[in-house]
Amino acid sequence: MNLYKYVSESINDKLGFTANLETPRNRAFGDFSTNAAMVMAKSAGKNPRELANEILPKLRELDFVADASVAGPGFINIKLRDDFIWRTAAEPHNATTATPKKIDLDYGGYNVGKALHIGHLRTSIVGDTFNRIARFLGHTTKSYNHIGDWGRPMGLIIAWILEYGMPKNADELNKIYPASTARAHDDETWLNRAKEITAELQSGNPQYRQIYDDFMKISLAQMDEVLHRLNLLPFDATMGERGVAPYVADTQKILESRNLLVESDGALVVNVRTDDDTAPMPPLMFRTSSDAQTYAAADLSAIYYRTKTDNPDIIGYFTDSRQNLHFQQVFRVAKMAGLTTAELFHTGFGALTGPDGKPFKTRDGGVAELLDILDMVRDAVHTRVTAAGKQLNAETINNIALAAVKFNDLLHDVRSDYVFDPTQITSFEGRTGPYILYTAVRLNSVLKRAGDQSDASANDLTDDERNLLIETLDFERTVQSAFDNRATDMIANYAYDLCQLANTFYHNCPILRDDVDAPTRAKRLGITRIARDTLAAAIDLMGLKIPDEM
Ligand code: ARG
């Protein structure tokens, strides 16, 4: 259950108006505190403390209230009943929303013919977790991998392949684009040829199409590998710039019918600036002067297509923040042209930096490739585990490395930069993925060793026990807030807090020791199970895998 919501709605129903509910910093005062009396006192012109004392008996009638008391200028502290905590904590989580939405999610957005790099980490991880959160809440999502597969890079790659032959694997393929770009830089004929090929590819030249299809296979296979290594849900659609090309003409017609397209130096643009703009707001480029499909045209056509086929309530994008302006422009045009009535949102990420605060680079100074980064973190885990004298199998090491990377990524506010430090994120202590997994493994192992002796009917709870159970009752609210605020970091921070309480409970409340009597043991096993189930649900939303041992 969403405890916070239940308690606050019950109090508001009982008193007949809306007040704030808070969690007191010092839990000794109570599990919740409300400013109800202070709000009521204002409108009634009464003394808040007096009014609070009048309200207390009413609150004590509520099924969850063990005790209520007045504090400070008129706050009311509420302590929950143990049997209520037990009963509700033992229910399985059900956070299904009353108003399910259809949501198109756009993340990943990998580029064909280019290696995935560290910049693709966050869009993949945060996008995937947001998708899982939305589904957990009962929304229907469709995830789009809007791949970069139709622009000038394609012409540059094809030009190279025509001269030097087809690459045999992803490593060879991924070297072509930088090489061909460098050549185009010094050689105008080469550049023009690439432009020409791009235009002809887009209008259906069969030879170019064949080459394109061949290297596309290599790129798609590489994307699959990354998906697998990052344990991402499969995309519902891999449909990018090429996929939406057939809808550009329709989209253009709509823009024309609204008189939005303007000619500018042979190109077609839409002016999106308004008088309220204080920051620069250049026109959106719909078609270049060489008649090529633009990045913006692809996104507008994708909105047109998605609206037509999915009719979504929401379309959400996850990219790095360098694309903020692009999406502002696209959203403005989409609304001006009436392409969709869906709510549009874009979450722009900060960058991953090295310890020096500069963009994270490999040791030789290159842009770090995604798969290399995963290998690097896996090696860091391996070193650490070996140094601790442990032996773990390869799959476990991989799962720990996965948790290290993903948890750390989710932990930070998506809009801010963060330092990517393989040593720090693989630590088994602190706010790290390995710590989260370690706690889950510990809870699992207690349950495994105990067999089935748990009991969820005992009533009396110690502070450590009740704090842990109450935290599990905050899970559904956390998931809901993470969704509402598009703040996947809330899930990671929640998982950490839950682990802290679970470990405190584990240290202070012996379970399997000989001197623990049977009812206490059964109670604590019940608590362990509830904590484990909740933690496992949070871990699942982050797309991590719990190893058997650690
Ligand atoms: N391929 C783009 C890039 O790597 C990202 C695509 C993001 N999604 C979108 N609908 N534009 O920069």
Side-chain angles (χ1 to χ4, degrees):
M1 108 164 354
N2 182 335
L3 179 66
Y4 182 93
K5 186 160 170 251
Y6 180 83
V7 169
S8 95
E9 286 176 359
S10 305
I11 293 176
N12 291 339
D13 280 356
K14 191 81 186 172
L15 302 179
F17 77 102
T18 312
N20 278 342
L21 197 62
E22 267 167 52
T23 321
R25 216 164 285 159
N26 186 343
R27 293 288 284 276
F29 293 140
D31 299 306
F32 289 105
S33 104
T34 169
N35 65 350
M38 292 156 82
V39 179
M40 281 171 94
K42 220 177 240 164
S43 53
K46 284 195 181 175
N47 173 308
R49 272 193 75 92
E50 242 167 67
L51 194 63
N53 277 303
E54 283 168 30
I55 292 173
L56 289 185
K58 276 196 175 184
L59 293 179
R60 292 201 182 105
E61 287 166 19
L62 291 165
D63 64 344
F64 52 83
V65 177
D67 193 20
S69 57
V70 180
F75 286 106
I76 300 176
N77 288 327
I78 293 166
K79 198 140 181 89
L80 299 175
R81 291 172 60 110
D82 285 356
D83 60 340
F84 172 83
I85 295 174
W86 250 139
R87 185 159 45 78
T88 49
E91 291 164 11
H93 293 298
N94 175 10
T96 313
T97 173
T99 49
K101 301 250 163 78
K102 279 192 280 178
I103 309 175
D104 282 353
L105 296 173
D106 184 316
Y107 57 91
Y110 312 131
N111 297 314
V112 168
K114 296 189 205 167
L116 274 72
H117 54 80
I118 194 162
H120 290 111
L121 205 60
R122 294 191 103 177
T123 173
S124 307
I125 294 172
V126 174
D128 182 71
T129 286
F130 191 82
N131 191 5
R132 291 172 194 258
I133 289 172
R135 289 184 187 183
F136 184 84
L137 294 171
H139 300 292
T140 304
T141 64
K142 184 166 174 185
S143 59
Y144 281 89
N145 186 8
H146 183 90
I147 53 178
D149 59 351
W150 209 225
R152 176 145 350 131
M154 302 304 110
L156 284 162
I157 293 171
I158 293 170
W160 193 272
I161 291 176
L162 284 167
E163 197 142 319
Y164 301 103
M166 185 57 74
K168 284 191 275 304
N169 51 40
D171 274 349
E172 283 183 25
L173 171 61
N174 296 340
K175 290 201 178 88
I176 295 180
Y177 173 70
S180 188
T181 306
R183 177 155 169 195
H185 198 75
D186 308 323
D187 176 351
E188 218 189 339
T189 336
W190 186 258
L191 175 65
N192 288 332
R193 192 161 151 62
K195 281 190 192 170
E196 233 167 72
I197 294 175
T198 308
E200 281 188 47
L201 171 74
Q202 290 187 359
S203 54
N205 176 310
Q207 188 201 1
Y208 299 160
R209 200 52 87 78
Q210 186 60 54
I211 296 174
Y212 173 89
D213 286 343
D214 286 346
F215 70 76
M216 171 67 85
K217 285 194 199 97
I218 300 177
S219 272
L220 289 177
Q222 200 188 24
M223 290 179 203
D224 271 348
E225 188 185 344
V226 170
L227 226 71
H228 177 75
R229 290 268 317 257
L230 285 177
N231 192 34
L232 306 181
L233 298 172
F235 284 103
D236 297 312
T238 295
M239 178 178 183
E241 296 167 3
R242 177 186 177 184
V244 300
Y247 306 96
V248 175
D250 280 355
T251 308
Q252 181 165 344
K253 264 191 218 125
I254 295 174
L255 300 195
E256 273 161 2
S257 73
R258 305 249 174 166
N259 293 321
L260 293 171
L261 287 174
V262 192
E263 244 201 78
S264 164
D265 292 329
L268 285 177
V269 304
V270 183
N271 289 313
V272 290
R273 220 190 87 82
T274 67
D275 291 342
D276 300 335
D277 282 318
T278 46
M281 182 53 70
L284 172 143
M285 171 82 75
F286 191 81
R287 202 132 201 126
T288 66
S289 52
S290 57
D291 211 26
Q293 173 181 318
T294 61
Y295 186 53
D299 269 319
L300 287 167
S301 307
I303 291 176
Y304 167 80
Y305 168 84
R306 291 170 193 177
T307 301
K308 216 163 74 109
T309 37
D310 310 333
N311 190 25
D313 303 300
I314 302 174
I315 308 179
Y317 299 79
F318 299 85
T319 76
D320 72 68
S321 57
R322 287 173 303 178
Q323 302 205 25
N324 287 356
L325 178 65
H326 164 74
F327 281 104
Q328 280 175 26
Q329 293 175 309
V330 166
F331 291 177
R332 285 189 186 192
V333 175
K335 290 298 169 191
M336 283 154 79
L339 290 178
T340 192
T341 53
E343 173 196 341
L344 303 170
F345 77 80
H346 169 241
T347 300
F349 305 129
L352 274 63
T353 69
D356 56 358
K358 301 214 179 92
F360 186 84
K361 295 257 154 82
T362 53
R363 213 168 286 159
D364 55 21
V367 176
E369 288 191 16
L370 197 55
L371 290 170
D372 294 342
I373 289 169
L374 295 180
D375 289 347
M376 187 196 283
V377 175
R378 184 190 56 203
D379 294 345
V381 172
H382 187 83
T383 309
R384 206 178 261 283
V385 166
T386 315
K390 287 192 201 183
Q391 283 213 338
L392 297 175
N393 63 31
E395 193 190 334
T396 301
I397 302 265
N398 279 336
N399 288 343
I400 297 172
L402 182 75
V405 171
K406 292 179 87 171
F407 182 81
N408 182 55
D409 196 75
L410 290 165
L411 186 63
H412 297 89
D413 180 297
V414 292
R415 282 158 206 89
S416 48
D417 296 352
Y418 74 80
V419 178
F420 184 80
D421 175 356
T423 310
Q424 186 266 320
I425 66 176
T426 53
S427 167
F428 278 45
E429 280 151 41
R431 281 177 198 267
T432 68
Y435 171 73
I436 304 294
L437 290 190
Y438 188 76
T439 309
V441 168
R442 168 180 270 175
L443 298 177
N444 270 337
S445 109
V446 171
L447 292 168
K448 220 181 289 165
R449 271 184 291 150
D452 193 15
Q453 315 174 31
S454 70
D455 176 15
S457 64
N459 271 344
D460 58 315
L461 291 168
T462 67
D463 281 351
D464 292 323
E465 293 167 348
R466 57 183 286 124
N467 289 347
L468 177 55
L469 287 181
I470 288 175
E471 185 71 15
T472 67
L473 286 164
D474 206 28
F475 177 64
E476 290 171 31
R477 176 170 77 122
T478 305
V479 182
Q480 186 63 52
S481 310
F483 177 80
D484 293 340
N485 298 296
R486 294 161 208 149
T488 42
D489 56 309
M490 287 183 174
I491 302 290
N493 281 299
Y494 173 82
Y496 177 74
D497 292 343
L498 184 66
C499 286
Q500 290 284 80
L501 290 169
N503 284 315
T504 306
F505 160 77
Y506 180 85
H507 284 294
N508 296 347
C509 308
I511 303 174
L512 300 177
R513 229 166 56 189
D514 287 344
D515 58 343
V516 177
D517 60 59
T520 302
R521 173 175 303 159
K523 173 181 74 167
R524 290 182 178 162
L525 284 170
I527 295 169
T528 306
R529 183 179 302 281
I530 291 167
R532 190 272 317 266
D533 289 349
T534 306
L535 181 58
I539 285 175
D540 204 49
L541 291 177
M542 296 187 281
L544 318 182
K545 294 196 240 173
I546 306 173
D548 290 333
E549 54 159 358
M550 253 174 99

